[in-house]
Amino acid sequence: MAPKYHPTPLSGGDRKALAKELGKARAMTTILAAQSVEARAKGEALIRAADKLLAESWNELMWSDGAPMDPSPTIDQAINGGYPWLEIECSRCKTRRDVHMAALRHPPTTFVHDLASRLRCSKCAKAGRRPPATLLQLAQRARHADPET
């Protein structure tokens, strides 16, 4: 955007008044920019807290009902809320494993409960079977060591 053109007044008093108003406007822009940065930081902190509460509530629903619940947080909401790990269990061999959701090749807007049909057990895949994984919960850190990877 091109800078605004202010024609210079002819008289000295008007020039001084224009310079004073332009100085006030420049000072106001720095004040407003600082307030904008502060408000954005507060907003991001609130969004992070909301994402954390959403992940915790989904974990409670998973614990109480035992099935992937819809609606669930999206991958990016879970990661932003501090829950980047997804604990899964193979429906065939009952092997538990933790999956880092940032490493998945799914869009970050994918809902966590949609991953149930897409994740497979790597141990059973070597035996020629492809059973789907059962979602257990979101976690803040890995709980089970991944034997392969």
Side-chain angles (χ1 to χ4, degrees), residues 9-18:
L10 298 176
S11 70
D14 289 341
R15 279 195 308 265
K16 289 178 187 175
L18 177 63

Side-chain angles (χ1 to χ4, degrees), residues 57-132:
S57 71
W58 190 75
N59 276 346
E60 290 297 321
L61 279 174
M62 288 292 293
W63 181 80
S64 64
D65 294 345
M69 298 301 294
D70 180 18
S72 65
T74 60
I75 293 174
D76 58 347
Q77 286 175 330
I79 292 171
N80 188 37
Y83 288 86
W85 293 93
L86 178 62
E87 188 178 339
I88 62 172
E89 180 181 66
C90 176
S91 58
R92 181 177 171 272
C93 68
K94 303 299 181 197
T95 302
R96 287 187 174 205
R97 193 179 100 174
D98 292 317
V99 178
H100 197 280
M101 290 189 289
L104 294 176
R105 291 186 177 180
H106 297 288
T109 55
T110 304
F111 289 101
V112 173
H113 73 272
D114 288 340
L115 296 174
S117 61
R118 299 177 187 177
L119 297 175
R120 305 286 182 205
C121 176
S122 56
K123 183 178 172 184
C124 290
K126 290 181 180 176
R129 295 176 177 81
R130 302 281 292 160

Side-chain angles (χ1 to χ4, degrees), residues 19-69:
K20 184 177 178 182
E21 291 300 319
L22 289 175
K24 284 182 184 178
R26 288 186 188 105
M28 187 55 87
T29 58
T30 45
I31 292 170
L32 293 175
Q35 288 177 350
S36 171
V37 168
E38 183 181 322
R40 184 171 305 278
K42 285 180 185 177
E44 288 172 355
L46 287 174
I47 290 172
R48 199 169 20 262
D51 290 343
K52 181 179 181 186
L53 290 173
L54 181 62
E56 289 173 354
S57 71
W58 190 75
N59 276 346
E60 290 297 321
L61 279 174
M62 288 292 293
W63 181 80
S64 64
D65 294 345
M69 298 301 294

